[in-house]
Amino acid sequence: MGKNILMKGLTQNNGTWAYVRSIPQQLRGHPTFKGKKNYRRQLISSAATEEQLFNAWKQAHADYEQYISSLKQLNLPIIERNELIKKAELYLRVNKLKAGMLADDESVMMDNTPMFRHAVTSMIEEAGVFEELFDHGSAESYHALANPYYSEQELPANLQIQKQAWKLLTEPAKKYQAQCLFSDCWTSYQSKKGLDLSKREDKRIKACFDKFITLSGDQVLTQEALNDALHKYVDVRELARENNILKGLTAKPSPSSITRELNTLLAIFRVGIKKNRLGITIERPDIKLDHQPTQRHTFTAEEQQLLIDRISDSSRNDYQPYKELMLLLMIQTGTHITELLRLERTKVKLDHEIPHIILDGGVLPRFCGHFKEA
């Protein structure tokens, strides 16, 4: 393929094309990458045409470049700032201090008077809480540190923390609050739900969130930013569906799939909003309904018998007893796959006068009592 030479990051392995790029060194510590050196995205089968491959690569390349650009411009300073603030807050707590104690900030405590602040300053001086920082900057007093001689980049790490702690201590508490990012919501959600990314379902949830971050960028969590990003996500997913229809391909993603993805994202963000006590109201985007009825294939009696013969053939390499059991139940009782996945042993009543299975999943349980005789 002539164009392949110009397609940066294009690789081929095991019959598929993939887009692989090295993650910039300064971004590998970002929560999205977790120290990974490479970004990888599966593209398309090797059997695809050159035009299909180029279109898939073009989209993947644009997504990657836009996302990396967004992280470089916005996220790293915020992430580094948040980490520094957290360490500074811990430094204050260890020394029995609070943000805003030396500021004229009544939101910290009601008796934050000049006399109180003088007493706190005296305690700090006696304990030498910031002595190392002031010695380093050759400051004559604590108040002279308002305009320090050294920037954070020139200070050792421990003094950067002390300097940030001094800012927290001497200025209104709200001024230096850590900013919550979109990615912080995932961290909170994963922790609360106890998700295990080695499990398929949990991995699917993470993939949905990663797709959202790729489209929106890892922004600061505000009401405007979140609602704009959610609407953009739905628009992009619906556009992908419309493009597939125009190309004569399967109409994917379906409205129900987009709804499921949106519900997943809303659940993640609600956890983050609640944990960080943010006054954010989420505007749920509208999703276009599918006006074209879905045509589903109905298996004939002959096809059902052929399927039973195949799944019961223990000589086949892909034979699995649980597959045989599940498909037999589906064929003989009309059970849905989702109902089988939720089926509990206590709901199988084979010793009943009329053997039956209680299936959950709808508004009300339903009963299946048709069994093939042994």
Side-chain angles (χ1 to χ4, degrees), residues 16-129:
T16 60
W17 290 102
Y19 181 79
V20 181
R21 292 287 300 277
S22 295
I23 299 170
Q25 182 69 36
Q26 67 270 30
L27 293 179
R28 291 177 185 175
H30 188 274
T32 301
F33 302 126
K34 295 183 178 178
K36 293 181 180 178
K37 295 182 179 180
N38 294 317
Y39 168 89
R40 183 180 183 87
R41 177 171 169 179
Q42 294 297 117
L43 295 182
I44 201 167
S45 168
S46 297
T49 65
E50 182 174 348
E51 182 179 1
Q52 290 173 330
L53 174 60
F54 179 74
N55 289 335
W57 170 87
K58 184 178 180 181
Q59 184 63 54
H61 181 68
D63 290 344
Y64 174 80
E65 292 293 339
Q66 180 181 2
Y67 186 39
I68 293 298
S69 176
S70 174
L71 290 180
K72 285 182 177 179
Q73 295 175 12
L74 173 65
N75 301 90
L76 277 183
I78 293 176
I79 292 173
E80 292 171 356
R81 174 183 181 273
N82 288 349
E83 288 299 316
L84 185 59
I85 289 175
K86 290 178 182 178
K87 293 176 181 177
E89 289 174 337
L90 177 60
Y91 185 80
L92 290 178
R93 287 198 299 272
V94 168
N95 290 282
K96 299 180 180 180
L97 299 170
K98 291 176 61 177
M101 287 184 76
L102 293 184
D104 188 7
D105 187 358
E106 293 185 356
S107 65
V108 178
M109 51 187 62
M110 295 300 295
D111 58 348
N112 193 357
T113 62
M115 185 177 296
F116 169 80
R117 294 194 291 273
H118 176 73
V120 173
T121 302
S122 299
M123 182 272 290
I124 292 173
E125 291 176 348
E126 292 176 5
V129 177

Side-chain angles (χ1 to χ4, degrees), residues 246-263:
L246 290 175
K247 294 176 183 178
L249 304 175
T250 304
K252 292 183 178 180
S254 66
S256 59
S257 294
I258 299 174
T259 299
R260 184 169 58 251
E261 293 171 6
L262 181 60
N263 289 340

Side-chain angles (χ1 to χ4, degrees), residues 195-212:
L195 300 186
D196 180 359
L197 296 184
S198 64
K199 296 181 179 178
R200 182 176 180 179
E201 178 61 21
D202 295 350
K203 190 181 295 184
R204 181 193 66 79
I205 297 174
K206 181 63 165 61
C208 177
F209 187 76
D210 287 345
K211 187 189 303 178
F212 173 85

